[in-house]
Amino acid sequence: YSPFFQHVLNTGIRRYHVAPVLCQRAKVAMSHFEPNEYINYEKLEKNINIVRKRLNRPLTLSEKIVYGHLDDPEKQEIERGKTYLRLRPDRVAMQDATAQMAMLQFISSGLPKVAVPSTIHCDHLIEAQSGGEKDLRRAKDINQEVYNFLATAGAKYGVGFWKPGSGIIHQIILENYSYPGVMLIGTDSHTPNGGGLGGICIGVGGADAVDVMAGIPWELKCPKVIGVKLTGKLSGWSSPKDVILKVAGILTVKGGTGAIIEYHGPGVDSISCTGMATICNMGAEIGATTSIFPYNARMKKYLGKTGRADIAALADEFQQHLVPDSGCQYDQVIEINLNELKPHINGPFTPDLAHPVSDIGAVAEKEGWPVDIRVGLIGSCTNSSYEDMGRSAAVAKQALAHGLKCKSKFTITPGSEQIRATIERDGYAQTLREVGGLVLANACGPCIGQWDRKDIKKGEKNTIVTSYNRNFTGRNDANPETHAFVTSPEIVTALSIAGTLKFNPETDYLTGADGKKFKLEAPDADELPKLEFDPGQDTYQYPPKDGSGQHVDVSPTSQRLQLLEPFDKWDGKDLEDMLILIKVKGKCTTDHISAAGPWLKFRGHLDNISNNLLIGAINIENGKANSVRNALTQEFGPVPDTARYYKKMGVKWAVIGDENYGEGSSREHAALEPRHLGGRVIITKSFARIHETNLKKQGLLPLTFADPADYNKIHPVDKLSIVGLADFAPGKPLKCIIKHPNGSQETIMLNHTFNESQIEWFQAGSALNRMKELQQKSS
């Protein structure tokens, strides 16, 4: 072993290949794919008891699981919303688009093997074009180099590999890896899906995943806890999706930032386990750190059906630690009566614009949104369970019985190979085909922009309805004029049959082929199959016991993969006279900063993917996307070209942003790209949690206006200086001097959330650089 790795062993940093932790009461494996890695509820219980005694108060469920994974529960300072926690997650999961950069960074760390159970899931690189089998074959051919890299890197470093076609990462995790009380981090923003099984599952950037895989404690700002009390019972057309669509309308896209959403109350038991996962999944759209439900009989039933009755039995023994304490206090409480909850549809262009389905037709006509639905799309990581497919098929069956098919185009995305095989066996897939549906590959597909859409031209105004989670401008098909609405799969199916937003299935009638009017009945379907799940094809590659001899090849001439070079260290000086690359107007998600779709193929090649830097952001100077003034030539040009020019000329630059900058996907490329092209500072009114952390990890300075009105003082033609960096310290604002072209100056104050170790990342040039410094010191 390297000297650093020997140090890792000597200092007790966790490495699961060396000494698995055994649970004395019962030895139950975390997953049947890792039979020698055991659930350790006893340690969770011990840590919870230590913290409860220290805090001397009842604990929320979120606190129990988070604090139960503290690196040092005796001494850790704990204050919700204030202190940084050092945590020991149980496992790591990575999807293929983000795993490329995560594994490239792990390779740079010099460690021989991952320290916790970890998996890679191939779901993001399969483009929806003509149907599941053909699209999968095409993806395997086009992405062979990337799949080979991920498979061999997984084998070498002890990471399980789920091959293309296996399904969407979050469905695979729910079926195999999430369990009550687990702490899992995943390199995808919808990782909270696992909260449907009572786990704390958090989306992170690749650099955070590298920390955990390296056995280093993972840092998270101590989350606040928002309680959502559910009363009543879901019935009729109302579905679990409507719970989160309603919550998104209440909290907005940033209302959950820095908080865990904890669902509780008597209404919880009326929701299936996969329904709870749907709700937790889309919690990412309100900025929440994660979402969670308490362990109950619906979870036990799902664990049993997915071959994990032993986990359910163990969870029963420790149930008091997998539910909130009586009398626990939440930072905010929202109450939703499920008896009164109506079907919702949110959009367009933002997932928090909530409407009852009964109102959307009139609202669309008033706003000038197209009411004719061009495409309905069901599935995705949010809504592709057996129950979802069953309810959609129940709607489709009624239409077929009256001689009707979908007026809109209609697509179905199974969440996993297990779901695909089971809905084929039980007839749901055939029913959905008969009503006009096209079954796509078990992958993300159109939800993340992997859609070769042919029915419209770019720039054509149109409407689509989906059961997805996110509907930002251009996200699904790269057309900024596509009005995307998110709703439940059964509502998507009903609206696709009607072909219009003006149809309300609760009250409106359809006309059958025989000319007779009929009304759709509210769908009913089994939450789980009566028979066992059909696992379908075996798509998992176990890592070998010893992968040290495995070769991982990255060609120096590859256009898809590129080994990473360390970023430059801070030179010890203030950042003087920075140019402003762009002052962004309005919403700027990670899709605006680093677009997906056709750019996904470059996720392992930092220089190539940097050609999409901020091409979707709107420049306040001219109201255009991907058009900024080059301050050195005074010519307007694309954002990436301008950034490259500044880098070539040795000029540092900054970005000015608005509220909730970087919301959406966890993609760390949105932080790597500005760093690679010479950026130093991102100044905004506020940041989304994951993106702010990603920027820190790459050695950038994410700063916020002490006075949000100061956003208006900075103009794209100004120069900026950040002074006082020699005294950069936690809790101490930084001074920014704005230099206007007429020679006048203004000084404003900028806040930050850096702690001491994060300041060391900045000084070292990146978190990875700092890790290497520590390796060298210990060797």
Side-chain angles (χ1 to χ4, degrees), residues 493-505:
T493 307
L495 293 177
S496 300
I497 292 163
T500 175
L501 288 177
K502 293 164 75 173
F503 178 69
N504 175 11

Side-chain angles (χ1 to χ4, degrees), residues 515-623:
K516 293 179 181 177
K517 291 189 178 295
F518 72 98
K519 200 170 144 194
L520 293 170
E521 293 180 9
D524 188 33
D526 293 333
E527 65 180 282
L528 295 164
K530 288 184 171 67
L531 303 173
E532 295 306 308
F533 275 110
D534 182 340
Q537 297 178 32
D538 182 6
T539 54
Y540 180 70
Q541 172 187 292
Y542 288 85
K545 286 185 179 178
D546 180 10
S548 58
Q550 175 70 53
H551 181 65
V552 181
D553 186 32
V554 178
S555 166
T557 59
S558 172
Q559 294 301 299
R560 298 288 301 270
L561 297 163
Q562 179 186 47
L563 292 173
L564 295 172
E565 295 291 330
F567 289 132
D568 58 316
K569 288 182 64 170
W570 176 55
D571 61 9
K573 300 175 184 176
D574 287 337
L575 296 169
E576 298 275 3
D577 293 331
M578 290 180 292
L579 298 178
I580 295 169
L581 177 66
I582 183 172
K583 181 179 178 182
V584 178
K585 178 184 178 183
K587 186 186 282 282
C588 189
T589 71
T590 47
D591 281 89
H592 293 89
I593 303 167
S594 176
W599 292 96
L600 283 166
K601 61 179 172 284
F602 296 126
R603 284 284 180 87
H605 197 294
L606 180 54
D607 194 58
N608 281 347
I609 200 168
S610 292
N611 289 323
N612 76 2
L613 175 65
L614 285 158
I615 60 175
I618 301 301
N619 179 10
I620 200 167
E621 187 175 6
N622 58 9

Side-chain angles (χ1 to χ4, degrees), residues 401-476:
H402 289 84
L404 295 187
K405 290 191 174 186
C406 290
K407 286 187 178 177
S408 312
K409 289 181 180 293
F410 186 51
T411 70
I412 302 98
T413 304
S416 69
E417 171 61 8
Q418 180 166 280
I419 292 294
R420 183 208 63 77
T422 306
I423 65 171
E424 287 287 1
R425 180 196 70 193
D426 293 352
Y428 291 167
Q430 185 57 30
T431 298
L432 294 169
R433 284 192 195 95
E434 287 173 5
V435 86
L438 174 67
V439 179
L440 302 175
N442 315 322
C444 301
C447 183
I448 60 160
Q450 284 284 43
W451 186 15
D452 185 18
R453 190 177 179 190
K454 302 289 191 185
D455 64 295
I456 59 154
K457 294 176 182 175
K458 190 166 182 179
E460 184 180 341
K461 199 172 176 181
N462 75 103
T463 284
I464 64 173
V465 291
T466 81
S467 69
Y468 302 163
N469 43 41
R470 207 165 267 164
N471 59 347
F472 301 136
T473 303
R475 177 175 172 86
N476 302 121

Side-chain angles (χ1 to χ4, degrees), residues 177-365:
Y177 297 116
S178 187
Y179 60 84
V182 71
M183 174 173 273
L184 177 152
I185 67 164
T187 60
D188 189 279
S189 58
H190 293 108
T191 301
N193 192 79
L197 255 179
I200 289 288
C201 303
I202 301 176
V204 299
D208 276 353
V210 171
D211 279 355
V212 178
M213 291 192 291
I216 296 169
W218 174 59
E219 282 193 345
L220 176 72
K221 183 176 267 192
C222 187
K224 293 183 177 180
V225 187
I226 297 173
V228 179
K229 184 179 181 181
L230 301 179
T231 60
K233 186 178 180 180
L234 284 175
S235 63
W237 284 92
S238 295
S239 72
K241 185 67 164 279
D242 298 309
V243 175
I244 186 57
L245 295 175
K246 177 75 173 177
V247 171
I250 294 168
L251 286 177
T252 76
V253 288
K254 64 175 187 171
T257 303
I260 294 175
I261 311 297
E262 183 171 313
Y263 293 87
H264 63 282
V268 165
D269 291 336
S270 77
I271 303 172
S272 66
C273 177
T274 52
M276 292 187 250
T278 291
I279 294 166
C280 292
N281 176 295
M282 201 175 154
E285 269 45 78
I286 53 176
T289 301
T290 191
S291 301
I292 191 169
F293 278 82
Y295 177 60
N296 67 0
R298 305 299 280 265
M299 294 183 192
K300 182 175 182 175
K301 188 176 179 182
Y302 183 80
L303 285 168
K305 199 56 128 171
T306 51
R308 295 175 288 169
D310 53 347
I311 294 179
L314 189 64
D316 284 343
E317 288 188 50
F318 288 86
Q319 182 158 14
Q320 81 240 41
H321 304 302
L322 306 174
V323 296
D325 286 340
S326 177
C328 66
Q329 296 296 306
Y330 296 102
D331 294 284
Q332 179 183 349
V333 176
I334 296 166
E335 189 162 337
I336 296 176
N337 184 341
L338 301 180
N339 291 334
E340 299 171 357
L341 183 65
K342 289 292 186 182
H344 272 63
I345 183 167
N346 289 21
F349 306 125
T350 185
D352 58 351
L353 186 56
H355 322 270
V357 170
S358 57
D359 296 348
I360 189 61
V363 172
E365 287 191 319

Side-chain angles (χ1 to χ4, degrees), residues 65 133 184 191 207 229 399 431 506 519 522 543-544 639 705 721:
I65 302 176
E133 289 185 19
L184 177 152
T191 301
K229 184 179 181 181
T431 298
E506 288 191 299
K519 200 170 144 194
V639 182
F705 295 104
S721 296

